[in-house]
Amino acid sequence: MKNYEEILTDAGIEIPADKKDTIKKAMGENYKTVEDYNKASSARDKYKKDLEDVQTKLDGFKDIDVEDLKNQIATLTTDLNNEKTARAAEAKKAEIEKTVGTFLSGKKFVNALTEKSIKNSLIEELDKDSAKGKSIEDIFNGLITGEDGKQMENILADDVGSGKKAHFTTAFKGSGTGGTLTKDDFKKMSLDERIKLKTKDPELYKTLS
């Protein structure tokens, strides 16, 4: 492809040497070569096609409810977070149960009911924020220690046959003579209270039940 100087020379027109720079500058500012034109046209065609592609994609979203889509995303995000929280809670519970099981494996209880009650109470206490900084031994001792600071009887098998009578807290104070428990008092007890009563005084529990 010939440039403008070659074209003018072929036509018998000679550009004065002192005018070449001026003409070259003017030609560059006002005219483009075929190559430059083709490049510009190609870029323009590409932009046009890209715009049409984007418009086509946007047209595909015309019938979509954007607000509903946002709500679905929010719901899924919440469900995912809840699932993560639930899994973390389950993992924590499983770890606590394993720890309690290992700890209690070396303990001998008077019966399975007592062991189950203590185990559940220990798991519950370890899952509380108040358990931070405490050892499982400390929490266990707190569960089997009465208000008088002494270990409650009829919980661990070592206490059986000691001849000592269990001490009751005011929670077991009945309406009978001298504050003794009656069968009516027993009927009003919750399951947890009955378990505690059976743990502390199996004979009284048997009589009232």
Side-chain angles (χ1 to χ4, degrees):
M1 182 178 68
K2 295 181 179 181
N3 60 33
Y4 69 92
E5 290 186 58
E6 293 173 329
I7 294 173
L8 290 175
T9 299
D10 291 343
I13 301 173
E14 186 71 27
I15 301 175
D18 61 337
K19 301 295 183 182
K20 285 186 177 182
D21 290 341
T22 302
I23 293 175
K24 183 177 181 180
K25 181 180 179 182
M27 290 293 291
E29 292 176 349
N30 295 278
Y31 298 94
K32 300 294 181 183
T33 65
V34 173
E35 184 180 358
D36 290 337
Y37 174 79
N38 289 338
K39 286 182 180 179
S41 296
S42 177
R44 180 200 61 196
D45 292 342
K46 182 178 183 303
Y47 292 143
K48 182 179 179 181
K49 184 178 183 305
D50 289 344
L51 179 60
E52 291 174 349
D53 290 343
V54 171
Q55 187 61 51
T56 300
K57 291 179 180 179
L58 288 175
D59 290 342
F61 287 97
K62 287 192 300 184
D63 298 328
I64 294 179
D65 187 337
V66 177
E67 285 302 317
D68 181 60
L69 190 59
K70 288 181 179 179
N71 290 335
Q72 289 184 47
I73 293 174
T75 299
L76 290 173
T77 301
T78 299
D79 290 344
L80 178 60
N81 290 334
N82 289 341
E83 176 66 16
K84 288 181 178 179
T85 301
R87 286 181 180 273
E90 289 176 0
K92 180 182 178 182
K93 182 179 179 182
E95 184 63 27
I96 290 176
E97 290 177 347
K98 180 180 178 181
T99 300
V100 170
T102 301
F103 176 77
L104 294 181
S105 63
K107 310 289 184 184
K108 292 184 179 180
F109 294 88
V110 292
N111 53 51
L113 187 63
T114 299
E115 181 177 3
K116 182 179 180 180
S117 177
I118 292 296
K119 181 179 181 179
N120 291 339
S121 296
L122 193 53
I123 290 173
E124 182 180 346
E125 290 299 320
L126 283 171
D127 195 35
K128 294 179 180 178
D129 291 337
S130 58
K132 293 180 179 179
K134 296 181 181 179
S135 68
I136 188 172
E137 183 75 37
D138 291 337
I139 296 175
F140 174 75
N141 289 335
L143 291 174
I144 65 172
T145 300
E147 292 183 352
D148 57 0
K150 297 180 180 180
Q151 180 178 307
M152 292 185 287
E153 300 173 5
N154 294 319
I155 294 180
L156 296 176
D158 293 342
D159 295 331
V160 177
S162 63
K164 297 180 181 179
K165 190 174 182 180
H167 296 281
F168 295 98
T169 63
T170 54
F172 293 117
K173 188 173 182 180
S175 59
T177 304
T180 58
L181 289 170
T182 65
K183 288 194 174 185
D184 287 335
D185 295 327
F186 181 82
K187 292 178 181 179
K188 296 176 182 178
M189 281 182 168
S190 65
L191 178 60
D192 186 59
E193 289 174 330
R194 292 185 184 187
I195 291 175
K196 290 181 179 179
L197 175 61
K198 186 172 183 178
T199 299
K200 293 183 177 182
D201 195 335
E203 293 183 5
L204 179 58
Y205 178 91
K206 184 177 180 180
T207 300
L208 296 176
S209 60

